[in-house]
Amino acid sequence: MFDDLPLAGYCRISDADLADIRRAVRSGALTLEEAAEEERRGVLRQREDILELAEGRPVLWYEDNNLSAFKRSVKRPDFERMVRDLGRPLRKLSPMLGGMLAYDIDRVYRQPRDLERVIDIYEVSKFHLVFKTLSGQNFDLTTADGRFSARLFVNIANKSSEDTKRRVIRGNLADAKKGKSHATGLVFGWQDDDPSKLNPETAKIREAAVRKFIAGDRVATIMRWLADDPKVINPLTGQHFTWGGTKAMILAARNWGIRTYNEEIIYDDDNEIVMGNWEPIFPTLETWYQVQALKGRDAKLTTSEAAVSYLLTAIARCGRCGAGLKGKPKWKKGSRTPEYQYNCNKQRPEQCGGLSVDGKHLDSLVKDLVWAQVLRASKQKQVAKKAEPWSGEADLKELESDIKDLQELWTAKKIRAASYVTTLDDLNARKNELLADQALHSIPAGTRAITQELLTNGWDALSIERQRSIVRKVLKAVVVHAADVQGGRFNPSRVEPVFH
């Protein structure tokens, strides 16, 4: 009866086939759609061959298309499912499979540890499990000779993959040091048919996203801004940019023409950053260092601050207990309305919970007040007010001098290679930290953020976090006193702004 069980038919496009298909895509010989179709045809050809091996027995299909069997980090869902199904009798479950079939053994195994997991099942099984491939070699895992052949072949395949990996790594690093682009598909911001040339329309959107981030917008805010335009689509997914995709777009070194390798900056023989052979969106590195200094900003926000949806949450204060008010939507007959209010939270022991105020009226009053301060500052030419001199100038000059001295020692062969490389890496890392701090120091903040964009487009063109940043620079707090009459109309006299 066990001989009547279906056999597992395992299919996977080989790494070599995938490499050929991807090269064809890069060269323009195949489109992405044609490449996907070619991969599918390869799987169907394997199925036809495996059906011949089955000799009339039913086959249950397991397919891990476009997944490497060599890379340890890659999980193959159908391979794992097949191993579980083969091992059912060992777990005292009804047997489901009578063995397995494959086009060739390297389609199933390129890591010896994966082979050993299946050998364990074949060795202890009380039933005769089938193991056949089209190679003609004896890989019968129920016999000692077959297991020896399988182990030998998989170890050879693994060594071949390791050699290929080393050659690819050396080639990729050599290309990186020459500044050759590492883009292998469509990149938003660059032309579809030539990723070395900017696409004027999408490059402007990408540039605006970076500038919004520098100005204070959270990644989530920028993601929503991108999603408002139906034409802005991530070419890798065909969908709107996710939070992760938006963040990757903003932080990508490609924006500045910087060639990286394994996400690390590469330096040439003169210790200069290697630039890529494509058109950058930003011609200088000033904004690159600003972004580096700010890239962990969102993670540092408290949960409550990151989730703020109302202008004066925690800025407005209760006139009775002094606690921060929180914005909440108003509900009517079980439905949320566009109206909202600021409440003292009675569920917190440190708050009295005895005060609320209409949110739209309070926001409008404070916006008018702050906007008046903005306009007054701009008329008094405080827009271009400069920050205090950066304090790290001397440290940066000293560090650059240390790097020059180290390079001279290397040129004179007075230092070992290992010491030179590790010391230079440490000095460059410290230099980049200082340059990021210098760039961060130059970012306008608070009332110095009265940019031409703000004066031209107005208050409402800013995100909620940028509005809050300006309000905090103008006002320490907004104290809201209790109303004389409950439920009455909004009374501006209840509001007491506290200026810096």
Side-chain angles (χ1 to χ4, degrees), residues 133-362:
T133 71
L134 272 86
S135 67
Q137 293 179 272
N138 174 22
F139 293 134
D140 184 355
L141 300 183
T142 62
T143 68
D145 287 345
R147 291 192 292 272
F148 174 80
S149 297
R151 284 168 172 148
L152 181 63
F153 189 91
V154 170
N155 275 289
I156 292 172
N158 180 266
K159 177 65 165 57
S160 175
S161 294
E162 289 282 4
D163 292 342
T164 300
K165 178 182 176 181
R166 281 193 291 271
R167 286 196 299 271
V168 169
I169 289 174
R170 285 197 299 269
N172 288 344
L173 181 58
D175 286 347
K177 288 182 176 180
K178 294 175 184 176
K180 291 184 178 180
S181 174
H182 59 290
T184 56
L186 303 179
V187 185
F188 186 82
W190 284 265
Q191 296 178 16
D192 292 350
D193 57 349
D194 187 355
S196 69
K197 303 293 184 183
L198 289 173
N199 178 316
E201 183 178 352
T202 54
K204 286 181 180 178
I205 296 171
R206 190 164 179 138
E207 178 185 2
V210 174
R211 294 198 182 281
K212 284 177 176 290
F213 179 77
I214 292 172
D217 285 358
R218 300 193 302 265
V219 172
T221 300
I222 300 170
M223 178 189 70
R224 291 191 292 269
W225 171 73
L226 292 170
D228 286 341
D229 187 341
K231 295 181 295 183
V232 177
I233 298 295
N234 187 340
L236 296 178
T237 64
Q239 306 291 327
H240 287 297
F241 282 91
T242 61
W243 186 91
T246 303
K247 182 180 180 183
M249 178 205 294
I250 293 167
L251 300 182
R254 181 180 177 86
N255 296 332
W256 292 267
I258 299 173
R259 182 58 164 101
T260 59
Y261 184 73
N262 288 339
E263 300 183 0
E264 295 289 333
I265 294 176
I266 305 172
Y267 295 88
D268 61 20
D269 294 339
D270 296 323
N271 202 43
E272 298 293 334
I273 293 176
V274 173
M275 307 305 289
N277 61 348
W278 62 88
E279 293 180 357
I281 291 178
F282 296 91
T284 67
L285 296 184
E286 181 183 6
T287 48
W288 156 259
Y289 288 113
Q290 291 175 348
V291 167
Q292 294 308 296
L294 295 169
K295 64 182 180 181
R297 178 189 59 202
D298 285 16
K300 294 177 182 177
L301 294 175
T302 62
T303 302
S304 58
E305 183 66 25
V308 165
S309 301
Y310 299 98
L311 177 66
L312 299 177
T313 290
I315 297 175
R317 299 296 185 111
C318 175
R320 286 178 170 173
C321 67
L325 302 182
K326 184 177 181 180
K328 287 188 175 182
K330 292 182 181 180
W331 294 75
K332 187 175 182 179
K333 295 181 181 181
S335 299
R336 181 171 176 163
T337 72
E339 306 297 319
Y340 59 95
Q341 60 188 20
Y342 292 101
N343 298 325
C344 187
N345 191 350
K346 63 182 178 181
Q347 295 178 343
R348 295 196 173 189
E350 71 275 14
Q351 299 185 20
C352 68
L355 184 143
S356 65
V357 62
D358 182 82
K360 284 191 174 181
H361 283 94
L362 181 61

Side-chain angles (χ1 to χ4, degrees), residues 59-86:
V59 176
L60 291 182
W61 296 106
Y62 298 82
E63 180 181 320
D64 287 315
N65 197 18
N66 206 0
L67 291 175
S68 171
F70 170 69
K71 295 179 181 176
R72 290 175 176 268
S73 60
V74 173
K75 300 299 181 184
R76 293 182 286 158
D78 265 24
F79 173 78
E80 297 297 332
R81 187 165 62 88
M82 182 182 67
V83 173
R84 288 196 299 269
D85 292 346
L86 279 169

Side-chain angles (χ1 to χ4, degrees), residues 17-52:
D17 290 339
L18 283 175
D20 289 340
I21 292 172
R22 287 167 181 163
R23 278 194 291 269
V25 171
R26 286 197 294 271
S27 68
L30 291 177
T31 66
L32 291 175
E33 293 77 12
E34 290 170 338
E37 185 178 345
E38 182 61 31
E39 289 178 21
R40 190 64 196 153
R41 276 201 294 265
V43 170
L44 292 177
R45 286 193 293 268
Q46 288 182 44
R47 286 195 175 203
E48 292 173 0
D49 292 335
I50 288 172
L51 282 174
E52 290 185 12

Side-chain angles (χ1 to χ4, degrees), residues 288-491:
W288 156 259
Y289 288 113
Q290 291 175 348
V291 167
Q292 294 308 296
L294 295 169
K295 64 182 180 181
R297 178 189 59 202
D298 285 16
K300 294 177 182 177
L301 294 175
T302 62
T303 302
S304 58
E305 183 66 25
V308 165
S309 301
Y310 299 98
L311 177 66
L312 299 177
T313 290
I315 297 175
R317 299 296 185 111
C318 175
R320 286 178 170 173
C321 67
L325 302 182
K326 184 177 181 180
K328 287 188 175 182
K330 292 182 181 180
W331 294 75
K332 187 175 182 179
K333 295 181 181 181
S335 299
R336 181 171 176 163
T337 72
E339 306 297 319
Y340 59 95
Q341 60 188 20
Y342 292 101
N343 298 325
C344 187
N345 191 350
K346 63 182 178 181
Q347 295 178 343
R348 295 196 173 189
E350 71 275 14
Q351 299 185 20
C352 68
L355 184 143
S356 65
V357 62
D358 182 82
K360 284 191 174 181
H361 283 94
L362 181 61
D363 282 1
S364 178
L365 181 68
V366 171
K367 283 180 181 179
D368 289 344
L369 177 63
V370 172
W371 186 246
Q373 296 293 319
V374 167
L375 294 179
R376 183 179 297 114
S378 67
K379 289 178 181 178
Q380 295 172 355
K381 297 183 179 179
Q382 293 179 10
V383 174
K385 181 180 177 182
K386 294 182 179 179
E388 294 295 322
W390 180 54
S391 61
E393 193 68 45
D395 290 340
L396 180 59
K397 288 183 178 179
E398 182 179 354
L399 195 61
E400 289 175 338
S401 177
D402 291 342
I403 292 174
K404 183 179 179 181
D405 291 343
L406 180 67
Q407 289 177 303
E408 290 176 353
L409 289 173
W410 171 250
T411 302
K413 298 182 179 181
K414 294 182 178 179
I415 186 172
R416 295 177 61 188
S419 299
Y420 173 71
V421 171
T422 55
T423 305
L424 185 62
D425 284 349
D426 290 342
L427 292 175
N428 279 331
R430 176 58 183 150
K431 178 183 175 181
N432 286 334
E433 289 177 2
L434 286 173
L435 288 172
D437 185 65
Q438 183 186 47
L440 182 63
H441 186 76
S442 69
I443 297 175
T447 52
R448 287 194 291 112
I450 306 170
T451 61
Q452 191 60 46
E453 175 201 7
L454 174 58
L455 295 174
T456 302
N457 299 329
W459 179 272
D460 292 329
L462 300 179
S463 64
I464 189 70
E465 51 262 36
R466 290 170 68 181
Q467 290 181 0
R468 284 172 61 84
S469 175
I470 292 176
V471 168
R472 287 185 183 278
K473 289 297 179 179
V474 174
L475 301 171
K476 286 183 178 179
V478 177
V479 179
V480 180
H481 298 286
D484 295 332
V485 180
Q486 293 294 325
R489 297 180 64 183
F490 177 77
N491 184 354

